[in-house]
Amino acid sequence: MTLHPDLARVLVPEDTIQAHVKVLAHQISQDYANVERLYLIGVLRGAFMFLADLARYLTIPHTVDFMAVSSYGKTAVSGAVRIVMDVREPLVNEHVMIVEDIVDSGRTLSYLYKTLQGRQPASLKTCALVSKNRAQVDVPVDYLGFHIPDVWVVGYGLDYADKHRTLPFIAELKEEVYK
Ligand code: PRP
């Protein structure tokens, strides 16, 4: 396979991603076997691919919904997060799971967890495909696919300037592309 010239190497191949997503879905299906439904919330846009695959591997009743957030000053320590698109339902007494493609600084997941906790769900858990080693997460990541090094990654939902998002694998972007 010829890699796009922007890419340094494949970090997580497609078959490895799919195998891990299946394992996560199996675990989640077991853990939620006795609930009426699981309310999955994908964080746009990055999580759309992961959520689509994860949901199709689930064997329990579930609802798929999305939120979109925007962060001010992504690189700034204090970068605030705000909701730009919310879910359809109030979430009171729902078993809710936040589904993220990546936990990078951890700020988005932390903000969403605290915000959704305030809506009185029956339970609230988090699921992420990848987490960077540098992530400082003050909330639990209950279901995690992979830890990855602190490099810019694209593919399987992740982008660089809206490029490479729909690659079926996760790849490391060459430093010269974003520096
Ligand atoms: C990415 C990713 C996560 C968030 C993680 O979204 O999809 O939602 O950043 O970063 P954090 O842990 O540092 O908060 P991005 O803002 O790039 O938007 P996109 O998903 O629409 O590309």
Side-chain angles (χ1 to χ4, degrees), residues 16 23 34 45 52 59 75 86 95 112 134 136 152 160 176:
T16 309
V23 169
N34 298 320
R45 287 173 280 179
T59 54
T75 51
D86 212 331
H95 292 278
L112 284 175
R134 75 174 187 116
Q136 300 202 326
W152 197 304
Y160 168 68
E176 70 214 43

Side-chain angles (χ1 to χ4, degrees), residues 73-86:
K74 254 203 141 288
T75 51
V77 177
S78 61
V81 181
R82 98 190 144 90
I83 295 173
V84 293
M85 191 193 93
D86 212 331

Side-chain angles (χ1 to χ4, degrees), residues 43-47 68-71 74 81 99-110 112 134-135 137 152 157-160 162 165:
V43 186
L44 292 174
R45 287 173 280 179
V69 296
S70 112
S71 20
K74 254 203 141 288
V81 181
V99 180
E100 264 283 29
D101 49 339
I102 186 168
V103 182
D104 190 342
S105 68
R107 214 175 283 139
T108 306
L109 191 64
S110 173
L112 284 175
R134 75 174 187 116
V137 199
W152 197 304
L158 297 153
D159 72 308
Y160 168 68
D162 268 328
R165 204 188 278 279

Side-chain angles (χ1 to χ4, degrees), residues 13-43:
E14 181 176 6
D15 54 351
T16 309
I17 293 176
Q18 291 301 322
H20 273 69
V21 176
K22 267 186 203 163
V23 169
L24 288 173
H26 180 70
Q27 187 64 52
I28 292 167
S29 298
Q30 282 190 337
D31 295 350
Y32 288 85
N34 298 320
V35 308
E36 204 172 311
R37 72 164 171 178
L38 175 60
Y39 200 107
L40 298 163
I41 302 178
V43 186

Side-chain angles (χ1 to χ4, degrees), residues 24 27-28 31-32 38-43 50 54 95-103 106 108-117 123-131 137-145:
L24 288 173
Q27 187 64 52
I28 292 167
D31 295 350
Y32 288 85
L38 175 60
Y39 200 107
L40 298 163
I41 302 178
V43 186
F50 175 40
L54 183 78
H95 292 278
V96 175
M97 183 172 293
I98 304 168
V99 180
E100 264 283 29
D101 49 339
I102 186 168
V103 182
T108 306
L109 191 64
S110 173
Y111 169 80
L112 284 175
Y113 187 89
K114 285 166 192 165
T115 302
L116 297 182
Q117 192 66 274
S123 68
L124 179 60
K125 295 226 170 171
T126 62
C127 176
L129 182 66
V130 296
S131 176
V137 199
D138 57 354
V139 300
V141 182
D142 301 293
Y143 300 91
L144 177 65

